[in-house]
Amino acid sequence: MSDSSTKLPVFLFAFANDEEGSLKVEKEEDTLAEILKTQALRSRVDYDSIHSANLDRIFREIHVLHNDLHIFHYGGHSNSTSLLLEDVALRASSLAQLLGNLENLKLMFLNGCANEDQVKVFLKKGVKVIIATSSNIEDNKAIDFAEQFYSALVNGRTIKDAFNAGKAYLDSKYAEEQIGIDIEKVDQPQRGEYSLEINEFAWKLFYSDEENLDWTIPPTRSAPDPEPDNFKGNESVILSHPDINKKLVDLVLEGLNDYSEEDEFGSGFWNAYQKDPENLKFRKKKIKIKESFPSIFEELLYTILSEEGEKYGIYRLESINKIYRSFIRFISYIAIANLWHEVRNAKKANESFIIEEPYKKDIVSIFDLNFKLAVHYDYVWLITTIGRIFKQNQWTPYIKGFELFFSSMIETDEYYQACRFLEKELNQKITPTFSIPREEIETLCLEAEKHLGKFLKRSAFLCYYNCPLIAVSGIKVDNPYNGRDVKFVHNHRSFEDSEEGISEKPIRRSGFTANRAILFAKNLEEDEEPLNLTPFLIDLNNFEINVEEKEGSIPQILLLDSYKSEEDKQGYIYRLSQTFEPNQNFIVNENYDRSKYEDLEIILDQLKLFKDDLGA
């Protein structure tokens, strides 16, 4: 049973649309996220949102959240027996078996059409309170009612009072209309279709015990008294455990050792490690880890391997959180780029391939992700989905070791569980208020270190490629009329550390790659077809107009983060990989500053092309 004193109540929102996209579920999702985001920052609740909900996603999230789940909300089509997800009709009897066993579930909110007949099944299985509908409902009213309900709930109202507040709002706003509908008038009830036959309020509140209607969100946890040794900021809790970083270093080196034969300059280290790992100095082990992963992560890894990262508790937890988020996004985009690589090759060869519709929606949802929901995006699920597509089509990943990573993303695997801890539990506790009891900081640091070590151990395949990231700034044809084979000269920069900075170098290839792209390649000269990571990753230097400033400049690797939907700043948000801080955002849209950058339209065109190639 979850300890309510240390864990936040979690709200899970699931939204499903039809193939025509006839419902306004995205608006409902954004509206509720805006309400819950403020409460999450205040450490009152946490929430998760499933865009394009399907059976696997809903069951997986409920399994992961388990007794932390307090409210389950569904928005989409429904009928008297089922919730109409994007892949199947989820019958009430099946979902009731899952939800009925959750001790802390306070409410189930079914914001779809004519689903009242499902209620008795849920009540029988133990769900305490249910909001359901007696008739068809219209989209705008569904959104308005949900908005008013959650607005009241997060402001301290009980479930009953919040329900009445929503009802009062709709009664006032639509006073001249009839809220209800005669269900007999529609053959297959669909949210969005409605008539004005009767004057009955469509939403109803059902419960097994009236006391359950009095539940409210617990108040904000108070911070500890400001005693001198209480944690206030990064330097608050001094860690005293003698083995900080030992578990992490041991796990990561185990993973790196599998790829040690590819380490051209590290044979001496690996010979010593394989002979007697305990005899190696700890400092040398940490340096090897920092040097082995792609250099864009060096600064992040330093934050936990440094003296400061081993000493200060909150600083360490923040660093672990940032490292995981940065790595999992990077790996996700390698997976997406690899998928696009295979799709384009199959089309070029006129070969058939299979990508099921729910999988397409899962993948492209990342490109329509509002920036307010980005922090809750499920990258593990995205990687799992792509892994299934590869297995279904018998494709081999471009990167050695990725297949093993794909296979690890199942619920029973320890690496999957490590991801879930870092993504859910740790992220939930790392809030602006740091409301973690002082005595738990060190224990949490050790647990988070263990899980990050497992994750990085499985991510060690990234080190198989020595300095794999290459930015191509320009391509020229080399002497096409002199009788020799045509060569393509690629002016490029590899991201190796250099005191003089990073200079462009030419490489002649028989094949053409991509201009202004970031390539993942073991050897650009020899690799027949390197993996193109753009537009998911970009080097901003490739688009800067001032050529003089670009020479020798530090790479500005940006990862696609989310979509910003405000009217004044529409466009895709990219975030600097090494810091991952909100103030490091760069927005790519058609209104970019043409005095500083050029051809950023290429990125927007490529994002559109990816969706078209996927058939989504």
Side-chain angles (χ1 to χ4, degrees):
M1 180 174 176
S2 297
D3 183 356
S4 59
S5 66
T6 60
K7 289 194 175 184
L8 300 177
V10 180
F11 296 3
L12 177 61
F13 298 93
F15 300 95
N17 215 331
D18 51 36
E19 292 185 0
E20 293 75 26
S22 63
L23 302 182
K24 298 178 181 178
V25 289
E26 289 185 1
K27 181 179 178 183
E28 182 177 356
E29 183 176 9
D30 289 348
T31 299
L32 300 186
E34 183 66 27
I35 296 170
L36 271 295
K37 182 182 178 184
T38 302
Q39 303 306 315
L41 291 175
R42 293 177 181 171
S43 299
R44 295 192 65 209
V45 299
D46 195 8
Y47 69 99
D48 207 347
S49 186
I50 304 175
H51 186 82
S52 303
N54 56 36
L55 184 66
D56 285 350
R57 289 288 305 278
I58 286 181
F59 269 64
R60 170 179 280 198
E61 288 299 318
I62 293 174
H63 286 319
V64 169
L65 295 172
H66 196 52
N67 285 330
D68 294 334
L69 183 60
H70 283 58
I71 291 180
F72 175 75
H73 177 105
Y74 172 78
H77 291 310
S78 63
N79 57 34
S80 60
T81 62
S82 307
L83 306 182
L84 307 184
L85 307 182
E86 300 213 356
D87 57 344
V88 298
L90 174 55
R91 295 186 65 84
S93 55
S94 300
L95 185 58
Q97 292 182 42
L98 191 63
L99 295 179
N101 294 321
L102 304 183
E103 297 178 10
N104 292 325
L105 187 70
K106 307 299 181 184
L107 170 68
M108 181 180 189
F109 190 148
L110 301 181
N111 209 20
C113 287
N115 45 47
E116 178 182 359
D117 288 348
Q118 300 184 35
V119 168
K120 56 186 177 184
V121 178
F122 290 107
L123 289 175
K124 185 176 180 180
K125 289 295 183 179
V127 178
K128 301 178 181 68
V129 181
I130 304 157
I131 295 176
T133 57
S134 60
S135 57
N136 279 17
I137 55 176
E138 189 265 332
D139 257 338
N140 289 329
K141 296 183 179 68
I143 296 169
D144 284 344
F145 180 70
E147 180 180 12
Q148 295 303 314
F149 174 83
Y150 286 105
S151 294
L153 194 67
V154 301
N155 282 288
R157 307 287 289 277
T158 65
I159 292 176
K160 181 178 181 180
D161 288 343
F163 179 88
N164 289 333
K167 181 178 185 301
Y169 181 85
L170 260 64
D171 285 344
S172 300
K173 184 173 181 178
Y174 302 99
E176 296 182 1
E177 298 184 22
Q178 307 292 342
I179 302 297
I181 173 177
D182 185 355
I183 195 170
E184 301 292 328
K185 297 294 181 182
V186 181
D187 294 334
Q188 293 182 334
Q190 299 287 311
R191 172 175 145 174
E193 301 178 12
Y194 70 104
S195 145
L196 305 176
E197 294 287 334
I198 57 174
N199 186 17
E200 177 187 349
F201 192 70
W203 289 267
K204 293 185 178 181
L205 191 58
F206 301 88
Y207 52 91
S208 56
D209 188 332
E210 193 168 2
E211 289 184 0
N212 295 323
L213 299 180
D214 294 330
W215 181 79
T216 61
I217 297 175
T220 305
R221 299 194 185 114
S222 57
D225 296 332
E227 298 174 0
D229 61 342
N230 275 357
F231 57 96
K232 283 285 186 181
N234 292 343
E235 302 183 29
S236 51
V237 178
I238 306 299
L239 302 175
S240 59
H241 197 283
D243 292 330
I244 291 291
N245 267 337
K246 187 178 187 307
K247 186 68 174 178
L248 180 141
V249 168
D250 288 346
L251 284 167
V252 178
L253 286 178
E254 285 177 18
L256 294 177
N257 186 47
D258 292 338
Y259 303 96
S260 60
E261 293 181 5
E262 305 299 326
D263 189 349
E264 299 175 12
F265 307 104
S267 58
F269 174 89
W270 291 114
N271 288 337
Y273 176 82
Q274 291 157 6
K275 185 178 180 180
D276 186 3
E278 296 301 322
N279 196 39
L280 273 172
K281 290 185 177 180
F282 195 61
R283 182 179 63 84
K284 287 187 176 181
K285 292 180 180 180
K286 292 193 291 184
I287 291 173
K288 173 52 66 177
I289 290 173
K290 193 178 67 163
E291 292 177 344
S292 296
F293 286 99
S295 59
I296 62 170
F297 298 117
E298 184 171 339
E299 184 178 325
L300 277 171
L301 290 170
Y302 178 79
T303 60
I304 58 167
L305 297 175
S306 66
E307 181 179 343
E308 185 180 34
E310 294 178 346
K311 185 176 181 180
Y312 301 119
I314 293 296
Y315 177 81
R316 182 168 181 80
L317 291 174
E318 284 181 316
S319 298
I320 290 173
N321 190 40
K322 288 179 184 177
I323 289 169
Y324 172 75
R325 286 165 51 215
S326 191
F327 264 84
I328 196 69
R329 290 189 184 197
F330 181 70
I331 293 170
S332 296
Y333 287 130
I334 290 177
I336 292 176
N338 204 161
L339 173 65
W340 195 10
H341 184 87
E342 294 297 335
V343 167
R344 302 213 81 180
N345 283 343
K347 287 189 172 185
K348 190 186 302 182
N350 202 25
E351 296 174 352
S352 61
F353 58 91
I354 302 170
I355 302 180
E356 297 174 12
E357 284 300 322
Y359 290 169
K360 291 179 184 178
K361 291 181 178 180
D362 277 346
I363 294 165
V364 300
S365 67
I366 196 171
F367 305 115
D368 299 316
L369 191 64
N370 186 287
F371 76 105
K372 296 170 185 174
L373 297 175
V375 70
H376 296 281
Y377 188 78
D378 192 343
Y379 290 94
V380 173
W381 177 260
L382 177 66
I383 293 170
T384 303
T385 297
I386 295 173
R388 289 172 176 169
I389 295 171
F390 268 74
K391 186 175 181 179
Q392 200 169 27
N393 291 281
Q394 297 183 329
W395 289 336
T396 301
Y398 174 86
I399 301 172
K400 179 182 177 180
F402 216 150
E403 202 158 9
L404 182 60
F405 192 92
F406 279 149
S407 65
S408 298
M409 294 298 105
I410 57 175
E411 292 180 24
T412 56
D413 193 285
E414 61 177 324
Y415 300 103
Y416 172 85
Q417 296 299 330
C419 289
R420 280 308 183 203
F421 173 87
L422 295 166
E423 191 170 273
K424 299 289 184 183
E425 293 189 42
L426 180 62
N427 194 45
Q428 176 178 295
K429 293 178 179 180
I430 303 300
T431 65
T433 56
F434 300 121
S435 53
I436 309 169
R438 176 183 174 79
E439 63 273 11
E440 295 182 13
I441 295 290
E442 189 160 82
T443 301
L444 182 60
C445 280
L446 292 171
E447 187 175 8
E449 174 190 322
K450 177 186 69 174
H451 289 300
L452 182 65
K454 290 180 180 180
F455 170 70
L456 292 178
K457 176 183 177 180
R458 185 55 84 229
S459 304
F461 69 89
L462 295 172
C463 307
Y464 172 71
Y465 293 80
N466 192 22
C467 299
L469 293 181
I470 297 168
V472 177
S473 60
I475 303 175
K476 300 177 182 177
V477 179
D478 180 28
N479 297 324
Y481 304 113
N482 68 354
R484 297 188 304 168
D485 291 338
V486 174
K487 295 287 185 179
F488 296 94
V489 181
H490 290 62
N491 289 324
H492 75 287
R493 287 170 294 130
S494 59
F495 303 150
E496 301 179 58
D497 291 336
S498 171
E499 293 180 2
E500 292 82 25
I502 299 174
S503 299
E504 289 193 345
K505 301 175 183 178
I507 281 187
R508 286 170 171 77
R509 287 175 43 90
S510 57
F512 182 90
T513 58
N515 199 12
R516 287 178 170 157
I518 293 181
L519 306 179
F520 200 102
K522 184 170 179 59
N523 187 310
L524 181 59
E525 192 170 6
E526 297 176 2
D527 280 13
E528 183 176 340
E529 203 170 1
L531 189 63
N532 185 359
L533 301 183
T534 301
F536 317 116
L537 277 73
I538 63 173
D539 180 5
L540 199 55
N541 294 344
N542 280 345
F543 298 90
E544 289 185 346
I545 290 175
N546 193 328
V547 178
E548 293 180 0
E549 290 184 3
K550 283 198 292 185
E551 183 65 18
S553 61
I554 301 299
Q556 298 184 73
I557 304 302
L558 306 179
L559 278 70
L560 179 64
D561 183 69
S562 55
Y563 184 78
K564 193 174 182 69
S565 59
E566 278 86 345
E567 293 182 2
D568 60 333
K569 289 185 178 180
Q570 289 186 347
Y572 288 94
I573 296 177
Y574 283 78
R575 188 165 288 180
L576 191 63
S577 63
Q578 287 190 321
T579 63
F580 239 69
E581 297 294 343
N583 61 357
Q584 297 291 334
N585 290 345
F586 182 80
I587 299 175
V588 177
N589 58 24
E590 296 177 352
N591 301 318
Y592 64 88
D593 187 349
R594 285 171 170 78
S595 67
K596 293 183 179 180
Y597 306 101
E598 59 184 353
D599 296 339
L600 283 173
E601 298 94 340
I602 294 172
I603 298 172
L604 301 174
D605 291 342
Q606 288 175 324
L607 289 168
K608 183 178 183 302
L609 181 61
F610 171 77
K611 295 180 183 179
D612 292 342
D613 281 342
L614 211 63

